Amino acid sequence: MLAILFPAIDPVAIQIGPLAIRWYALAYLIGFVAGWRYCIHLARKDERPPTAVDFDDFLTWAVVGVILGGRIGYVLFYNTGYYLSNPLEALAVWHGGMSFHGGLLGVMAAILLFSRRRGFSPLALGDLIACAAPIGLFFGRIANFVNAELWGRVADVPWAVIFPGERAGGLPRHPSQLYEAALEGLVLFAVLAVLARRPSVRAKPGLLAGIFFIGYGLSRIFAEYFREPDPQLGFLLGGHATMGQILSVPMVLFGLALVVHARRRGRAEGRRPAGRADARDG
């Protein structure tokens, strides 16, 4: 059976004495910085808030939301029993264990709180954050591949990879991290970037965020068919679904609701007599 032997990649990118900077940490850093700069780029094309200054101030909120939400999400969604028995381990983030869905909830909470303090629509802020999120997702999945973690199910495709470690079993597997990097990262970024250039789309707060939720949810549900489920959970719902798929279904439904809300609001704005302002913002 043809397969690609996993390349010998050191998970430590930079070693300075006792200080070790891992590729995974660099992926988070690059994702935050690149996403922040892209949000500023989009904000400068629109006179309405949020402004570039708002995004400068929101960066810290986003970092806290992602890290805190991601860790709490992993503890609650993926390994509750273990952390109930070892509660202090929940604080050991350096041992790994982050949940995208938890991080998403953390960022959503940060968006709501920050936009309320600044007095503008959380949907307007959420739209631009949604456009930048695939950047972080791309680098995060590449880091998963470099770390030889979250690999796929056993496969007989020519591009299957033999990952190191006893759990991988020395068997050729789907490089599902790269599938997710392509779908959740590159493809979703391209779709949102094209749509964000259209004034008619930007004029409907919540539309871009809704498309992100739908796009990510469907991409994750599809990619999970190639990804090995978490060993402590296995397959759920009678062996037909993974936790990633289960958590992605509400994302798709929420995204559909946002799209419907944005389109209805857009039509209502279009019917409003000229010169009449509406102080509310979805």
Side-chain angles (χ1 to χ4, degrees):
M1 183 182 297
L2 294 176
I4 302 169
L5 188 63
F6 184 80
I9 304 175
D10 189 342
V12 176
I14 303 171
Q15 181 84 43
I16 305 175
L19 176 63
I21 302 176
R22 295 179 174 270
W23 288 109
Y24 198 77
L26 282 179
Y28 266 80
L29 178 61
I30 294 171
F32 279 124
V33 173
W36 163 60
R37 296 304 304 173
Y38 185 58
C39 284
I40 289 177
H41 167 74
L42 293 176
R44 285 174 174 164
K45 291 187 173 185
D46 199 329
E47 295 180 355
R48 296 169 295 183
T51 65
V53 174
D54 291 322
F55 278 105
D56 278 338
D57 296 339
F58 181 71
L59 180 61
T60 301
W61 292 64
V63 171
V64 173
V66 167
I67 296 176
L68 191 59
R71 185 58 173 175
I72 293 174
Y74 181 79
V75 170
L76 295 180
F77 300 147
Y78 288 94
N79 226 339
T80 308
Y82 172 78
Y83 289 109
L84 284 176
S85 302
N86 304 273
L88 292 180
E89 279 294 308
L91 303 177
V93 293
W94 53 90
H95 290 167
M98 296 286 282
S99 162
F100 165 79
H101 295 91
L104 176 65
L105 291 174
V107 171
M108 289 174 65
I111 289 172
L112 289 172
L113 294 172
F114 184 83
S115 58
R116 183 175 181 179
R117 290 188 62 177
R118 293 296 172 98
F120 54 72
S121 168
L123 293 180
L125 177 58
D127 278 345
L128 300 191
I129 297 296
C131 290
I135 299 174
L137 289 168
F138 172 78
F139 285 108
R141 294 308 181 193
I142 295 298
N144 290 148
F145 181 80
V146 170
N147 282 352
E149 62 187 6
L150 306 183
W151 22 255
R153 305 180 194 182
V154 175
D156 58 1
V157 295
W159 57 87
V161 176
I162 299 177
F163 290 93
E166 293 183 7
R167 282 208 308 114
L171 299 171
R173 295 178 176 275
H174 284 288
S176 57
Q177 314 96 321
L178 302 183
Y179 300 170
E180 293 188 71
L183 291 173
E184 303 163 7
L186 296 178
V187 173
L188 192 52
F189 175 81
V191 170
L192 291 169
V194 170
L195 293 174
R197 294 172 64 89
R198 300 182 179 181
S200 60
V201 174
R202 292 282 297 275
K204 299 180 178 68
L207 185 55
L208 288 169
I211 292 170
F212 168 78
F213 276 96
I214 296 169
Y216 177 87
L218 293 178
S219 297
R220 181 68 181 268
I221 290 169
F222 174 76
E224 286 280 327
Y225 283 109
F226 302 94
R227 177 173 162 178
E228 186 76 10
D230 295 85
Q232 71 274 16
L233 295 176
F235 290 99
L236 306 172
L237 299 181
H240 298 291
T242 66
M243 179 59 79
Q245 290 174 321
I246 293 171
L247 294 175
S248 295
V249 170
M251 281 190 67
V252 175
L253 298 177
F254 182 65
L256 289 170
L258 278 178
V259 169
V260 170
H261 169 78
R263 289 175 62 85
R264 285 179 178 173
R265 186 173 180 82
R267 286 195 293 268
E269 292 286 346
R271 290 194 296 267
R272 184 174 293 115
R276 180 179 176 183
D278 189 345
R280 296 172 302 165
D281 199 0

